[in-house]
Amino acid sequence: MARVSRRQFCQFAGSTLATLGFSQLNFQRQADNYGKVLAQSTPRKLALLVGINNYSSQPLRGCVNDVELQRHLLIHRFGFNPKDILILTDAKATRQGILGAFEEHLIKQAKPGDVVVYHYSGHGSRIFDPDPIVVRSRTDNSGLNGTFVPVNSGLPVGYPQQGGVVQDIMGHTLFLLMSAVKSENFTVVLDSCYSGGATRERRVRSRAGGRNILVSPDEKSYQEMWLSRLNLSREDFIKGYKEGVAKGVVLTAANPNQLAIDERLNGF
């Protein structure tokens, strides 16, 4: 993964904000509460950063850069120890790699009061769950569930004429994993979307899905395992899920009906 200097990072961040029409002052004001949580003095600050460019189909370009920029931000602005930042990119960001890292690096290590960050940049998708924990979507009545797409979660052979199972990680699963982290100082950054499409210059961060693309049995078993570990009934889960995020704050690149796009800005 290419490294950038702190000076390069700061110059890029400032020029990009200007390109997008934000002043650095306005951006700082909007991010104030987020920054206060990350900057506070705590026994430890832990981060898991996931970025995937090299999908076998619909590859992306900016996700590994996202992770590198986030790493610099956490170290130089918010005082994270580099040893406490775990990075998974491309081939390492498999389904098992992501879930295992979340358990080992965040859930098992974080103590009450610690600052915890999870960042995901990659494809999102929407798939069908015949037996969902939450029956009704919070955004529409499609019956589809938002997911995150690990590097090894490809579409079934013969899609779209033929459907099948994929190895996606559901938003429901992320909610359970967040619930298991012992600290309330939890920030999640999700840079993906749930709609498809691409052009030569812009690549939308989503992989195709639909009602014939199904959640895997492994995913359902994993959810049931965490419900049991958390001593959480389906009813309690549904109540908590409908109320909002499990804990802390979640920053998303787009609403479920919006696009998150890879695009070159200022040569970066």
Side-chain angles (χ1 to χ4, degrees):
M1 180 168 56
R3 298 292 184 189
V4 298
S5 70
R6 182 181 180 184
R7 182 177 181 182
Q8 287 174 316
F9 165 71
C10 293
Q11 289 176 335
F12 166 74
S15 60
T16 297
L17 290 172
T19 299
L20 295 175
F22 294 113
S23 73
Q24 294 189 53
L25 177 61
N26 287 338
F27 182 81
Q28 184 64 38
R29 286 173 177 170
Q30 291 181 30
D32 187 49
N33 289 336
Y34 162 71
K36 285 179 179 177
V37 172
L38 295 185
Q40 64 184 297
S41 298
T42 65
R44 198 172 190 187
K45 298 181 178 183
L46 298 165
L48 171 60
L49 313 180
V50 179
I52 309 172
N53 285 344
N54 293 337
Y55 289 100
S56 58
S57 63
Q58 297 176 277
L60 297 170
R61 293 174 178 169
C63 298
V64 175
N65 282 344
D66 291 346
V67 164
E68 177 65 3
L69 292 171
Q70 182 70 277
R71 185 184 75 87
H72 274 260
L73 183 69
L74 295 178
I75 294 170
H76 299 303
R77 173 65 178 85
F78 297 116
F80 279 60
N81 186 326
K83 295 180 180 179
D84 289 329
I85 300 176
L86 178 60
I87 294 175
L88 298 181
T89 58
D90 290 333
K92 293 182 179 180
T94 62
R95 170 184 164 79
Q96 283 305 117
I98 295 170
L99 296 178
F102 206 110
E103 291 185 32
E104 295 296 324
H105 190 66
L106 301 184
I107 294 174
K108 290 187 177 180
Q109 293 197 86
K111 296 178 174 58
D114 287 353
V115 168
V116 182
V117 172
Y118 173 67
H119 177 119
Y120 171 83
S121 285
H123 277 315
S125 188
R126 301 179 78 196
I127 68 175
F128 183 66
D129 182 357
D131 181 30
I133 298 178
V134 180
V135 175
R136 187 171 180 176
S137 169
R138 290 187 293 180
T139 56
D140 58 41
N141 295 317
S142 67
L144 299 179
N145 294 266
T147 65
F148 309 100
V149 183
V151 71
N152 62 332
S153 185
L155 287 166
V157 176
Y159 178 86
Q161 288 74 25
Q162 294 184 350
V165 168
V166 292
Q167 295 296 313
D168 290 10
I169 298 171
M170 296 176 67
H172 295 168
T173 299
L174 178 59
F175 186 97
L176 291 168
L177 291 171
M178 290 174 66
S179 299
V181 174
K182 295 181 179 64
S183 177
E184 295 291 329
N185 296 329
F186 198 174
T187 299
V188 174
V189 180
L190 303 176
D191 201 348
S192 63
C193 66
Y194 305 139
S195 301
T199 70
R200 185 176 65 179
E201 298 300 326
R202 298 180 176 183
R203 302 189 180 197
V204 176
R205 291 189 176 182
S206 72
R207 189 215 60 208
R211 291 188 66 85
N212 64 342
I213 303 301
L214 306 177
V215 62
S216 70
D218 290 343
E219 180 75 351
K220 298 301 293 184
S221 297
Y222 191 76
Q223 290 176 1
E224 292 296 333
M225 179 191 74
W226 274 109
L227 286 170
S228 177
R229 286 185 180 181
L230 295 167
N231 195 25
L232 195 62
S233 68
R234 284 195 169 209
E235 291 74 19
D236 289 338
F237 173 86
I238 292 169
K239 180 180 178 181
Y241 187 82
K242 288 183 175 180
E243 287 177 352
V245 301
K247 58 181 60 175
V249 62
V250 176
L251 307 176
T252 62
N255 289 327
N257 61 344
Q258 294 177 322
L259 304 180
I261 296 174
D262 257 13
E263 185 171 13
R264 183 175 295 273
L265 293 171
N266 299 315
F268 199 85

